[in-house]
Amino acid sequence: MTSIEPGEMLTEEAFQGSQNDILIITEDPQQAAQLEVILDFMECRPQVAGMEAWRERVDATGVLAALVGRCEGRPLASLLNEIHAWNPTLPVALVGIDAAEVPGEATQVIRRLAWPPQFPQFADTLQSARQLMANGGMSGHRRTELFRSLVGRNPALQRIRQLIEQVAMSDATVLILGETGTGKEVVARNIHHCSSRRDKPFVAVNCGAIPADLLESELFGHEKGAFTGAFSARQGRFELAQGGTLFLDEIGDMPLPMQVKLLRVLQERSFERVGSNKTLTTDVRVVAATHRNLEEAIGEGKFREDLYYRLNVFPIEMPPLRSRVEDVPLLIGELISRMEAEKRGSVRISNQALRVLARYPWPGNVRELANLVERLAIMHPGGTVEVRDLPEKFRAGIDVGSEAETAPAAESAPDMIDATLPEGGIDLKEYLNDLEVRMIRQALDEADGVVAHAAKRLGMRRTTLVEKMRKFGIGREEDATEF
């Protein structure tokens, strides 16, 4: 994994991630060619193969999704089973296949697209595949909704998802550590929903937001007349969470006297309401979280060491967003999808702006990112946010006038396109092919025939450019220099 420090330029590989190949399996050459053009336009790497040769053509570990088209003479169920055996985590989309042909057990199929496919549905399918692969592929398909807020390809996030699954089915106390805004409560909710207690309550308490003199009543409840203002008996959070999970957020801010009482509950599984001498038993799984360094707090006498060891049975540490900037595009896509699903608006963010956001240190972590996306959706409803549209603090030190320099040259190409559709219509495929050929020839001319330099100007890998040169018959290999 490429390590990127705040302030460094994001490379294309780090920004897009390694999984960008799309496997196309079809026996229809015209369908294959059209899908290849669409995927090239979407900056994916199509890998076209026939019904029998696809396993030898493609490395299973680098594929984002498979598109299965017209494969007559071969049962679809058999082909899907073969794909599953080859890579059980791989999402599959069917293109131009009738619903009646789809076997009921085809669980790896995420979308059935009409032919020719509409661009929004096609783009949405690839986005769904990216989110699935970020969450462990089809093996984690049933957990996708569960892990929506834990989207990311970063190894630390993948490890956290594994830890959640490992600890969820036990009753071990979990301590979640991490900076403010990293998603500690999200982890707690995932632990609850992965556990056998999922059908029981999940109750959250922010220990730092409740005054010290009220915290005991909040946790354990009180009887009528226990103190001034106690006009009736009231259940505490331990009672409300009976059989489920109690999430104690900001446990590091809990006063020392309450720490003693919490320790007793954890050890004896019993407590009394305020103003009562009746002992109540509790069956609650406790998950705690804090942004503080509890070991330092122990040294300062602000946190009990025995409580720390009681809570720290299974620690999970959330990484700050600045340490996993490669996940920023995925997180933004997920946040926008959630806003659209909740009818709260929509917005798009250009690749240049995404790269700028990936260099920001994110002191507020994912919470700050979510607030920014919501703000941009309000300011630019349904529009596309460019670098110049970002708030000042996100583009500090960036010359907006030279914004094109922060993105590959290929991304500025659309600015040179005449976007006016002729009255008589247009052959889009031919038009895009002609445009691509012109850009490749220009890049090669400006790079004096050096393929590696031309590829850099076009924002693509050298091997991709070589394939395109062969596809379009541009020059001869001896006329161009690889390096």
Side-chain angles (χ1 to χ4, degrees):
M1 179 64 62
T2 307
S3 176
I4 303 170
E5 298 296 329
E8 290 185 346
M9 189 60 191
L10 209 62
T11 65
E12 197 71 15
E13 289 81 0
F15 185 76
Q16 293 184 341
S18 58
Q19 287 182 319
N20 212 26
D21 289 349
I22 307 295
L23 172 61
I24 302 173
I25 303 176
T26 180
E27 292 294 324
D28 184 336
Q30 184 178 7
Q31 187 183 49
Q34 292 180 357
L35 287 172
E36 193 173 9
V37 169
I38 295 170
L39 291 170
D40 277 338
F41 183 74
M42 298 177 71
E43 298 182 352
C44 293
R45 292 188 298 271
Q47 301 286 346
V48 182
M51 201 164 46
E52 304 297 337
W54 56 270
R55 283 173 297 181
E56 290 74 30
R57 284 285 311 272
V58 183
D59 177 9
T61 60
V63 180
L64 172 68
L67 300 178
V68 176
R70 301 187 182 110
C71 295
E72 297 179 8
R74 172 77 177 277
L76 180 60
S78 172
L79 178 59
L80 292 176
N81 288 337
E82 205 170 326
I83 294 172
H84 180 76
W86 178 67
N87 185 347
T89 68
L90 188 66
V92 177
L94 304 179
V95 185
I97 295 179
D98 292 336
E101 300 179 42
V102 183
E105 67 276 11
T107 56
Q108 71 266 52
V109 175
I110 61 171
R111 192 70 58 85
R112 189 174 59 83
L113 298 169
W115 184 258
Q118 298 295 314
F119 182 81
Q121 288 75 19
F122 202 90
D124 185 62
T125 299
L126 295 186
Q127 177 63 16
S128 296
R130 286 191 174 92
Q131 291 178 352
L132 277 169
M133 295 304 283
N135 286 314
M138 294 307 296
S139 62
H141 188 22
R142 280 185 276 182
R143 303 191 312 273
T144 301
E145 287 301 314
L146 184 62
F147 288 145
R148 281 174 71 94
S149 299
L150 291 175
V151 165
R153 285 193 289 257
N154 183 273
L157 254 292
Q158 295 180 19
R159 175 61 177 161
I160 285 169
R161 290 196 289 265
Q162 293 172 0
L163 291 174
I164 289 172
E165 291 186 275
Q166 288 173 347
V167 75
M169 295 308 294
S170 75
D171 273 337
T173 304
V174 179
L175 179 61
I176 307 170
L177 306 168
E179 296 178 7
T180 298
T182 50
K184 297 187 289 295
E185 183 171 346
V186 172
V187 172
R189 290 184 180 275
N190 279 286
I191 291 172
H192 173 73
H193 287 292
C194 282
S195 75
S196 59
R197 298 175 179 266
R198 67 177 67 88
D199 295 327
K200 299 295 183 179
F202 176 90
V203 178
V205 183
N206 189 323
C207 300
I210 301 172
D213 56 343
L214 296 179
L215 186 57
E216 182 178 3
S217 171
E218 191 69 28
L219 291 177
F220 306 133
H222 62 258
E223 295 292 347
K224 180 179 179 180
F227 50 83
T228 303
F231 298 114
S232 63
R234 181 176 182 270
Q235 287 184 319
R237 300 301 178 95
F238 271 93
E239 289 181 75
L240 293 173
Q242 184 70 11
T245 302
L246 178 64
F247 176 53
L248 300 175
D249 198 8
E250 299 304 347
I251 192 74
D253 295 334
M254 179 177 283
L256 282 169
M258 272 304 303
Q259 293 179 28
V260 177
K261 296 177 181 180
L262 176 61
L263 179 62
R264 182 202 166 205
V265 177
L266 294 177
Q267 290 175 336
E268 301 179 13
R269 296 290 175 181
S270 64
F271 63 94
E272 293 85 33
R273 288 182 179 179
V274 177
S276 173
N277 56 9
K278 180 182 178 181
T279 299
L280 303 175
T281 59
T282 180
D283 174 23
V284 168
R285 201 262 184 83
V286 172
V287 178
T290 182
H291 72 282
R292 299 189 183 280
N293 187 321
L294 293 185
E295 293 182 349
E296 287 184 1
I298 291 169
E300 297 169 358
K302 296 179 180 178
F303 202 84
R304 291 183 62 93
E305 187 173 14
D306 47 4
L307 177 58
Y308 170 71
Y309 290 119
R310 194 73 190 183
L311 293 171
N312 197 36
V313 176
F314 195 94
I316 296 178
E317 187 163 358
M318 293 296 292
L321 184 54
R322 62 181 172 275
S323 72
R324 56 184 189 103
V325 293
E326 69 271 32
D327 290 339
V328 168
L330 280 173
L331 285 165
I332 289 177
E334 171 56 34
L335 291 166
I336 292 173
S337 296
R338 195 181 307 174
M339 280 197 310
E340 291 173 342
E342 296 172 359
K343 312 288 187 196
R344 294 190 293 118
S346 181
V347 71
R348 292 292 177 265
I349 300 179
S350 71
N351 284 342
Q352 297 97 320
L354 284 174
R355 286 178 171 81
V356 170
L357 293 176
R359 296 187 300 185
Y360 179 70
W362 297 108
N365 293 294
V366 180
R367 185 176 297 145
E368 183 181 9
L369 177 61
N371 291 341
L372 173 66
V373 171
E374 186 168 359
R375 175 182 175 184
L376 293 175
I378 294 171
M379 296 177 64
H380 307 278
T384 298
V385 173
E386 302 292 348
V387 175
R388 61 181 173 273
D389 302 317
L390 296 174
E392 174 61 31
K393 71 174 182 178
F394 294 98
R395 50 187 174 85
I398 296 173
D399 182 4
V400 178
S402 60
E403 147 184 340
E405 297 176 6
T406 68
E411 292 178 1
S412 62
D415 294 337
M416 296 180 282
I417 299 175
D418 179 5
T420 304
L421 183 67
E423 289 185 9
I426 190 173
D427 185 329
L428 184 60
K429 178 182 174 183
E430 182 179 346
Y431 178 77
L432 291 175
N433 283 344
D434 289 344
L435 176 65
E436 199 167 5
V437 168
R438 291 203 307 271
M439 293 296 103
I440 291 173
R441 290 188 185 280
Q442 181 180 338
L444 286 169
D445 289 343
E446 294 175 0
D448 296 324
V450 179
V451 175
H453 294 173
K456 187 175 181 181
R457 288 188 60 78
L458 293 168
M460 64 177 65
R461 290 179 176 81
R462 179 184 56 79
T463 52
T464 303
L465 178 55
V466 171
E467 287 296 324
K468 287 183 179 292
M469 290 170 64
R470 289 174 182 159
K471 172 183 173 182
F472 294 120
I474 299 176
R476 293 177 301 171
E477 290 190 35
E478 60 266 26
D479 293 335
T481 306
E482 292 287 337
F483 299 100

